[in-house]
Amino acid sequence: MNRKSIADLAGSVGVGAWAAFSVLTLVVIGRSGAPLWLDDSFLTWSVGHRPEAVVALARAVTATGTGLVPYVLAALAGALAGRTTRSRLPATAVCLACLGLGQLLRYGAMELVHRPRPAQADWRAHASGWSFPSGHTTTAALAAGLLAVALTLRAPRGGTALRIAVCGWGLAVGLTRVYLGVHWFTDVMGGWLFAAGWLGVCLCVAAHLLPAHLLPAPFLTEPTDPAHAPTEDHASEDPGCRGRSRPA
C-alpha cells in the first residue's frame, strides 16, 4: 500500500464508524438514555453469573483501560511506527496526541448525551460520570488500535498473533464494563465505534499531512502507473532475415 491508498482506506473506515456512532447517539438521545436492544439482557445475564474469581479477573482487566497503561501502549506504538531513531520521538508524540485528543472528544460526547448508568445496586466496580460512550472502552480501543496499526506498518506480513492479542485486550476491557454492571452494552458499542472513527481520522490526516521522513515505510511506496512503466526497445525479429544483414 502507499500513502494515498492508506489515507483513503482510513478515511473510509473513519466515515463509516462516525456514521454508525452518530446514528447510535441519536437513538440514545431519542430514548432519553433508556436501555436499548439487548442492554437489559446483557446486564441481567452478568448479574446472575458473577463468581468471585471471575469478578476479580474482570476488575483487573478493566483497570488497564484507564490511567497509565493506555498511554504506555500509545507511546510504544509511536516507537514502533518510527522508521528511524530520529523519527520515533515525533511519531510517539503523534500517537499520544491522538489518544489525548480522543479522550477530550469522548468526554465532550458524554457531557452532550448525559446518559445515566445502570442502577448502582448492580455495580461490581467503581464508576463515575455519564455512561455513553464508555470511557474505559474508548480509551482501551484507541490504544489497542494505535498499537495494532503500528505493528501492521512495521511488519505487514507478520505479528498476527500479537495483533490479535492487542485487539483482544481492547475488546475485553469493553466487555468487562458490561459484566461489572457499570455500563450498558450500547455504551460499549458506542466506545468501539467512536474509537474506530477517531483512529480513521487520525491515520488519514497523518498519511496526508506528515512529512515523508516521519512516515513508516509502507506509506512511502508509490503506485506504479502502467502507462508510464519503462519499456524495452527490442528490434523486431524476422525469422526469414536471420543470418542476413539488414538493408542500409
Side-chain angles (χ1 to χ4, degrees):
M1 300 182 74
N2 55 78
R3 182 190 286 238
K4 183 179 184 304
S5 60
I6 291 176
D8 290 344
L9 177 60
S12 298
V13 171
V15 169
W18 278 126
F21 176 77
S22 299
V23 170
L24 181 58
T25 302
L26 290 174
V27 172
V28 170
I29 294 175
R31 292 286 303 274
S32 300
L36 305 174
W37 307 316
L38 298 176
D39 282 344
D40 281 323
S41 299
F42 274 95
L43 181 61
T44 301
W45 182 91
S46 68
V47 169
H49 297 79
R50 287 177 174 171
E52 287 303 318
V54 180
V55 170
L57 177 61
R59 286 173 176 165
V61 173
T62 208
T64 63
T66 188
L68 186 62
V69 173
Y71 285 90
V72 170
L73 294 179
L76 177 60
L80 287 173
R83 289 190 298 128
T84 63
T85 302
R86 184 179 178 183
S87 66
R88 282 173 189 147
L89 184 58
T92 300
V94 168
C95 289
L96 291 174
C98 175
L99 180 57
L101 289 174
Q103 291 275 59
L104 290 176
L105 290 174
R106 186 266 307 167
Y107 182 79
M110 292 180 74
E111 290 296 319
L112 175 66
V113 177
H114 273 209
R115 188 185 199 184
R117 293 178 184 270
Q120 193 167 358
D122 295 326
W123 294 7
R124 293 301 302 272
H126 172 73
S128 61
W130 298 106
S131 192
F132 181 91
S134 167
H136 282 66
T137 300
T138 305
T139 305
L142 284 172
L146 287 169
L147 188 52
V149 169
L151 289 168
T152 301
L153 294 175
R154 172 62 69 180
R157 299 181 181 179
T160 301
L162 189 54
R163 287 194 294 271
I164 291 174
V166 168
C167 293
W169 166 76
L171 293 173
V173 170
L175 293 177
T176 60
R177 304 305 286 168
V178 180
Y179 181 75
L180 294 171
V182 294
H183 276 290
W184 303 109
F185 179 67
T186 44
D187 297 335
V188 172
M189 287 179 58
W192 288 333
L193 290 172
F194 184 98
W198 182 240
L199 283 172
V201 168
C202 290
L203 187 57
C204 182
V205 170
H208 274 301
L209 300 182
L210 287 182
H213 71 277
L214 295 181
L215 294 173
F219 282 92
L220 305 179
T221 304
E222 296 298 335
T224 301
D225 186 355
H228 296 86
T231 58
E232 295 182 5
D233 187 14
H234 294 287
S236 60
E237 294 184 359
D238 183 358
C241 295
R242 288 178 180 173
R244 291 181 296 174
S245 59
R246 295 182 180 180

